[in-house]
Amino acid sequence: MTVLVTGGAGYIGSHTVRLMRSLGRDVVVLDTLERSSADALLGAPLVVGSIADSELVTRMCRDHDVDSVVHFAAHKSVGESMIDPGPYWTNNVHGTVQLIEGMLAAGVNQIVFSSSASVYGTPETVPITESAAIRPENVYAESKAMMERIIEWYGVTRGLRGVSLRYFNAAGASMDGVIGEDWTITTNLIPLVMKAALGASGPVKVFGHDYPTPDGTGIRDYIHVEDLASAHVAAIDHLTSGGESVAVNLGTGAGTSVLEILDLTAKVAGRVVPHEIVDRRIGDPAIVFADANLAADLFGWHAHHGIAEIIESAFAWHSSTS
Ligand code: WQD
């Protein structure tokens, strides 16, 4: 049986496709390649098209004997979503409805969904558990929360079974340096730090130095992209073995500050990373990290790579491709 991976040519998608193929799993990727390259697929079967084409989805499911879908395809920029929200409603939300209609028409009723910890907004307490309030603070996060609920309602009405994986901060690159993140389309901290460390940009702007944290800078739960990939395989196996629909945090349970990221990168790069302290970025919470116990209890899954390997693999990848 085959897994259909939407957005499989993207950052987390390509690492998940690679892992699944290395485990002998059959996959087929559906991707528009609008914001990714087929190079990252390393030869995995690819159909260039949109999740919104439900007839294409149905045909792919039938042609490739699909039994599960892993759904990565989505626009994912917080800042862009607040400037131009339309595509986040059409591509992310409407596209997900069309994808589900297409897969159900072929009798496929298992989906693993790439959600985000941003659905929690600013947490009242940390670590964040899956029972925390869902309070998105931007259009991107709202679209992820809506996609989760659409999957839930298709469960109530049409028997769809789904696992929504709420990623904390995805980072790093494959430990063997073969694939990694494309830093041209990101506003996330770690690729921007690598860019500055490699002299490919000006200084990193540190958004705020007056947060209620030990060093005054924002703390996040950075999780290695290969750990995310293994969690998707565990989630598929959970559904295939009859497990219930659920939303699950994917994090390490530990937080790292911006200045700590800069220090760790300086040690790996052998030089100080140029940076400057600027005002806080509006909407940034001070501290966000996961309670990752449910993933351990349900899937027997844990993150294996710590922040050092995240920084080392990211620096090695960006050094080799810049
Ligand atoms: C991390 C920390 C910033 C850039 C967002 C989305 C989330 C997920 C990951 C998709 C914060 C600080 C950042 C910079 C900085 N995306 N920072 N200078 O905001 O935690 O999460 O991306 O799923 O859904 O909400 O990630 O990497 O932007 O910021 O100081 O140039 O780094 O203030 O403390 P964030 P980030």
Side-chain angles (χ1 to χ4, degrees):
M1 299 297 274
T2 303
V3 179
L4 189 160
V5 183
T6 77
Y11 174 41
I12 303 169
S14 57
H15 287 79
T16 304
V17 165
R18 189 183 184 209
L19 173 63
M20 290 165 68
R21 297 179 75 208
S22 73
L23 295 171
R25 310 282 182 108
D26 291 322
V27 302
V28 59
V29 172
L30 175 61
D31 200 307
T32 60
L33 299 185
E34 284 172 354
R35 299 188 178 187
S36 54
S37 161
D39 295 347
L41 288 174
L42 306 177
L46 166 67
V47 172
V48 180
S50 167
I51 57 173
D53 184 345
S54 55
E55 289 178 1
L56 170 61
V57 170
T58 303
R59 275 200 312 276
M60 286 184 66
C61 288
R62 290 174 174 156
D63 293 349
H64 294 270
D65 194 22
V66 169
D67 67 338
S68 301
V69 171
V70 179
H71 180 27
F72 292 104
H75 295 329
K76 64 169 189 174
S77 167
V78 172
E80 178 189 62
S81 78
M82 298 303 280
I83 295 166
D84 183 17
Y88 285 76
W89 308 131
T90 52
N91 181 68
N92 290 11
V93 180
H94 173 70
T96 296
V97 172
Q98 297 303 105
L99 168 69
I100 293 170
E101 289 289 346
M103 58 189 278
L104 290 176
V108 178
N109 72 345
Q110 294 187 168
I111 187 168
V112 173
F113 169 53
S114 163
S115 188
S116 169
S118 64
V119 301
Y120 296 116
T122 300
E124 285 185 1
T125 58
V126 287
I128 304 175
T129 67
E130 287 82 356
S131 58
I134 301 300
R135 290 186 307 207
E137 296 176 354
N138 54 70
V139 166
Y140 159 77
E142 181 64 51
S143 76
K144 288 287 183 176
M146 290 170 76
M147 293 153 89
E148 285 194 17
R149 284 200 299 279
I150 285 165
I151 289 168
E152 289 166 18
W153 279 108
Y154 267 101
V156 172
T157 57
R158 300 279 299 279
L160 179 68
R161 297 173 56 247
V163 174
S164 289
L165 298 174
R166 293 173 181 162
Y167 309 159
F168 281 69
N169 290 57
S174 63
M175 295 305 288
D176 63 3
V178 172
I179 56 176
E181 185 171 13
D182 176 355
W183 69 15
T184 62
I185 53 174
T186 183
T187 59
N188 290 138
L189 178 71
I190 288 181
L192 293 179
V193 166
M194 297 305 151
K195 216 180 239 185
L198 290 163
S201 76
V204 177
K205 296 187 185 313
V206 177
F207 295 147
H209 196 205
D210 60 350
Y211 282 104
T213 60
D215 66 16
T217 63
I219 290 176
R220 295 292 183 275
D221 187 335
Y222 297 95
I223 178 166
H224 196 282
V225 62
E226 288 188 333
D227 282 326
L228 286 178
S230 64
H232 287 76
V233 174
I236 292 168
D237 293 346
H238 167 81
L239 289 171
T240 302
S241 60
E244 80 276 23
S245 294
V246 65
V248 179
N249 288 340
L250 292 185
T252 67
T256 308
S257 77
V258 176
L259 289 182
E260 287 171 328
I261 296 285
L262 288 165
D263 289 346
L264 285 165
T265 304
K267 290 187 177 71
V268 170
R271 53 184 175 274
V272 173
V273 181
H275 61 279
E276 55 183 344
I277 306 291
V278 299
D279 292 338
R280 293 183 179 190
R281 180 171 62 180
I282 295 171
D284 274 355
I287 305 177
V288 178
F289 62 91
D291 176 316
N293 288 312
L294 183 59
D297 297 344
L298 271 185
F299 304 155
W301 174 90
H302 295 86
H304 290 289
H305 302 297
I307 192 65
E309 288 176 295
I310 285 174
I311 297 298
E312 288 158 6
S313 61
F315 187 77
W317 165 254
H318 290 298
S319 300
S320 70
T321 54
S322 65

